[in-house]
């Protein structure tokens, strides 16, 4: 699975990823920081529109942020490695570590 590091994640994987004995429900784990996630992914200008269209549902807002990014909006490249870097930048090291473990990626590769 380590070859995934340079690949583009899918929304399905972000909702439920299993690997190496680890299960990561990325959306569930990061939804509390969805605005920070949006800002670091370069989608800060879209936060108000996303919040309005999600009607206050943080789960939905986080999914919308990830969908925009997966579609190629702003921060490139759209890869697992970029996502790991972003998690470090928004201080979600636990999620980053869990994701690295599920992907089979050594800690240094996600820096």
């Amino acid at each position: 699975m380590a070859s995934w590091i340079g690949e583009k994640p899918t929304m399905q994987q972000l909702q439920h990823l299993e690997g190496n004995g680890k299960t990561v429900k990325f959306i569930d784990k990061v939804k509390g920081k969805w605005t920070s996630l949006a800002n670091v992914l370069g989608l800060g200008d879209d936060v108000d529109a996303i919040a309005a269209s999600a009607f206050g549902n943080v789960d939905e807002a986080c999914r919308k942020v990830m969908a925009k990014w997966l579609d190629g909006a702003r921060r490139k490249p759209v890869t697992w490695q970029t996502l790991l870097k972003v998690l470090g930048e928004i201080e979600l090291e636990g999620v980053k570590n869990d994701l690295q473990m599920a992907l089979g990626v050594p800690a240094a590769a996600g820096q």
Side-chain angles (χ1 to χ4, degrees):
M1 268 198 244
S3 64
W4 285 17
I5 191 81
E7 291 184 16
K8 180 179 178 178
T10 66
M11 186 57 80
Q12 182 178 356
Q13 290 169 323
L14 292 176
Q15 291 182 38
H16 187 95
L17 177 69
E18 288 186 43
N20 297 313
K22 190 73 177 168
T23 299
V24 180
K25 294 184 177 185
F26 180 85
I27 300 293
D28 287 346
K29 292 187 175 264
V30 302
K31 66 185 179 187
K33 285 195 142 186
W34 77 267
T35 54
S36 296
L37 182 65
N39 285 322
V40 173
L41 289 173
L43 300 167
D45 292 343
D46 300 324
V47 167
D48 289 340
I50 291 169
S53 69
F55 302 104
N57 181 326
V58 295
D59 237 32
E60 183 62 19
C62 189
R63 271 194 283 284
K64 286 177 181 284
V65 166
M66 294 312 300
K68 281 183 87 76
W69 181 67
L70 290 171
D71 284 343
R74 310 301 191 290
R75 187 157 176 179
K76 306 278 194 280
V78 180
T79 63
W80 286 108
Q81 187 167 17
T82 299
L83 197 52
L84 290 170
K85 287 179 184 177
V86 164
L87 290 171
E89 290 173 29
I90 62 173
E91 300 177 352
L92 287 175
E93 292 295 328
V95 179
K96 178 181 173 182
N97 294 338
D98 289 349
L99 194 55
Q100 285 175 309
M101 184 179 292
L103 292 169
V105 176
Q111 300 298 318

